[in-house]
Amino acid sequence: MTLPQRIAHIVQHGLAALHPCVYGDLTARGAVGEIAADLQKEIALLCPNRDAKEIVDEFLAALHEVRRLVETDVQAAYDGDPAATSRMEVVMAYPGLYAVTIHRLAHVLYTLKVPIVPRVMSELAHSKTGIDIHPGATIGERFFIDHGTGVVIGETTIIGRNVRLYQGVTLGGLSFDKDSNGALVKGLKRHPNIEDNVVIYANATILGGDTTIGHDSEIGGNVWIKESVPPYSRVYNKPPAPVIKKIG
């Protein structure tokens, strides 16, 4: 079995731990045991100079908070989508929740400085949903991605609580600093900050590590933003004038 296939098993067990009635035949406790065993093997291989069991114990200790965050995400999707008939429907059928749930797990491993595994986890979610969330992104509670296809959230993005995105939104980097040899400088803040209670509509692009979208703002569809927006703002493009002609 290849490393990506083994990581896919870890993802499946993680989903079963958080949503045992939907994913897999394992009980939540059984799923946690499977995650621990599988993760410890992979971390021991990838990080031979670190204590794999200690890292896994820290990951397991974080699962309670991950579960709480995911529950708020489920509620946000149910509250925010008039088409949602139940929380169970959100868990079973919403690609945004699927991608965000995997991100919550991957982000813990990213903060524990586990290489490879969180990045592959995010790409597994990306390949299934079309939603690309780097495991380094920091995302607050009650996060809802509606529809979701084409959403991109970069590594150093910081998102507050109660934020909603629609399909095609990009939270990306504006430019990349280079060192004296022309190589890209890594580890810098490159992606925007989204404060609490912000809604970003379809295909909006927000770029740059110095860019902050102030709280309680609404960002309209198809806008291009590379400078900060104050709180309580509404940002939109001037609507084009459509040409309507009679056929025949």
Side-chain angles (χ1 to χ4, degrees):
M1 191 181 297
T2 66
L3 178 59
Q5 289 172 328
R6 298 197 301 270
I7 294 173
H9 276 274
I10 293 170
V11 168
Q12 187 65 30
H13 296 323
L15 293 171
L18 298 173
H19 304 298
C21 59
V22 175
Y23 295 101
D25 298 326
L26 297 170
T27 64
R29 181 174 298 177
V32 170
E34 293 285 349
I35 294 171
D38 290 348
L39 265 180
Q40 189 164 331
K41 291 176 185 176
E42 301 305 334
I43 293 171
L45 288 171
L46 294 167
C47 309
N49 297 321
R50 297 177 65 189
D51 187 334
K53 185 179 184 305
E54 181 179 337
I55 295 171
V56 170
D57 287 345
E58 290 186 60
F59 175 80
L60 296 180
L63 283 182
H64 178 76
E65 175 63 8
V66 170
R67 185 176 290 108
R68 185 193 72 80
L69 288 169
V70 170
E71 288 173 355
T72 72
D73 299 331
V74 173
Q75 189 64 45
Y78 178 74
D79 292 343
D81 186 1
T85 61
S86 68
R87 293 165 186 81
M88 181 61 73
E89 180 185 25
V90 170
V91 173
M92 295 184 71
Y94 277 51
L97 181 75
Y98 182 89
V100 172
T101 299
I102 293 175
H103 170 76
R104 301 272 189 210
L105 294 166
H107 182 68
V108 175
L109 294 172
Y110 177 91
T111 59
L112 292 171
K113 301 188 184 305
V114 174
I116 309 297
V117 177
R119 195 71 174 94
V120 173
M121 290 171 70
S122 70
E123 284 307 311
L124 290 169
H126 183 196
S127 66
K128 186 167 184 175
T129 65
I131 298 168
D132 183 2
I133 310 176
H134 192 285
T138 301
I139 300 176
E141 64 185 30
R142 289 184 58 85
F143 182 55
F144 177 32
I145 300 175
D146 200 357
H147 303 295
T149 305
V151 165
V152 177
I153 300 175
E155 179 185 20
T156 61
T157 303
I158 299 175
I159 297 174
R161 68 181 305 276
N162 200 39
V163 170
R164 185 185 343 157
L165 309 183
Y166 286 84
Q167 66 272 17
V169 167
T170 295
L171 305 179
L174 180 61
S175 61
F176 305 109
D177 293 337
K178 296 181 179 181
D179 64 19
S180 57
N181 296 317
L184 294 179
V185 178
K186 299 181 183 293
L188 301 179
K189 180 79 167 77
R190 307 182 305 281
H191 306 96
N193 307 302
I194 312 298
E195 294 185 346
D196 298 348
N197 307 315
V198 170
V199 179
I200 306 175
Y201 285 98
N203 299 310
T205 298
I206 303 171
L207 304 176
D210 294 327
T211 302
T212 295
I213 305 300
H215 61 81
D216 297 277
S217 292
E218 181 180 292
I219 307 301
N222 297 299
V223 300
W224 177 281
I225 297 174
K226 55 182 182 178
E227 58 187 37
S228 293
V229 171
Y232 299 104
S233 296
R234 177 175 290 154
V235 181
Y236 57 92
N237 293 322
K238 184 178 180 180
V243 176
I244 303 173
K245 293 184 178 181
K246 186 176 180 181
I247 299 175

